[in-house]
Amino acid sequence: MIDSSKISHIGIAVSNLDTAIRTYETLGFQVEKIEKVSDMDVRIAFLPMGNTRIELLEPLSRESVIAKFIEKKGEGVHHICVEVKDIHKALQELKDQKFNLVYETPKHGAENTLVSFVHPKSTHGVLIELCQKL
Ligand code: ZN
């Protein structure tokens, strides 16, 4: 199971990061940082609110998973991320319980983290990201 005390962020797929940032700034969010994540082929912006954050994700190529998501479903909520202490342990436990993992070996995410995802097919339609700070 996921042993976490924090929802790290909620990921939202957007076609154009700059346009989306302006929208979310108008809503009252403020950009904390913008970063490229080459492992995922995306550019992202983090916008904190309360003790969690919105993560806007813009695809950097047509092959990016975010480009494919937008093509299929349009812009919108892409994933919920929970922070874990030991991602390898968490992934092994989820695998043992027959959850469908997107990456059995974690990849490098934003802000010096290791990340993987639980496939929406095994979580009632919601992609769940696990992240561990390094
Ligand atoms: Zn994320």
Side-chain angles (χ1 to χ4, degrees), residues 9 11 46 55 57 79 81 117 129:
H9 59 264
F46 280 114
E55 177 191 49
L57 304 110
H79 64 268
C81 177
F117 297 87
E129 178 180 13

Side-chain angles (χ1 to χ4, degrees), residues 2 5 13 17 28 47 56 58 75 83-84 87 105 108-110 115 125 129 133:
I2 299 171
S5 57
L17 191 62
L47 301 88
L56 301 175
E58 171 196 59
E75 294 183 302
E83 194 177 305
V84 295
I87 193 166
T105 308
H108 287 278
V115 303
E129 178 180 13
K133 284 183 181 163

Side-chain angles (χ1 to χ4, degrees), residues 64-116:
S64 163
V65 289
I66 297 301
K68 288 174 185 160
F69 176 88
I70 292 172
E71 204 173 290
K72 255 192 179 163
K73 300 189 174 178
E75 294 183 302
V77 173
H78 179 260
H79 64 268
I80 293 172
C81 177
V82 292
E83 194 177 305
V84 295
K85 284 198 180 86
D86 183 342
I87 193 166
H88 293 96
K89 181 170 170 264
L91 291 174
Q92 186 59 53
E93 286 174 4
L94 291 170
K95 194 181 161 189
D96 291 346
Q97 291 174 79
K98 311 288 181 222
F99 281 94
N100 187 346
L101 305 177
V102 177
Y103 311 122
E104 290 195 11
T105 308
K107 293 192 172 222
H108 287 278
E111 300 184 305
N112 200 27
T113 54
L114 285 176
V115 303
S116 185

Side-chain angles (χ1 to χ4, degrees), residues 12-25 31 33-36 42-47 55-60 75:
I12 300 175
V14 302
S15 312
N16 183 294
L17 191 62
D18 300 320
T19 307
I21 285 172
R22 279 196 294 278
T23 304
Y24 278 82
E25 280 177 343
V31 175
K33 65 168 78 168
I34 296 174
E35 193 177 328
K36 274 185 191 176
V42 290
R43 195 164 68 108
I44 63 173
F46 280 114
L47 301 88
E55 177 191 49
L56 301 175
L57 304 110
E58 171 196 59
L60 290 175
E75 294 183 302

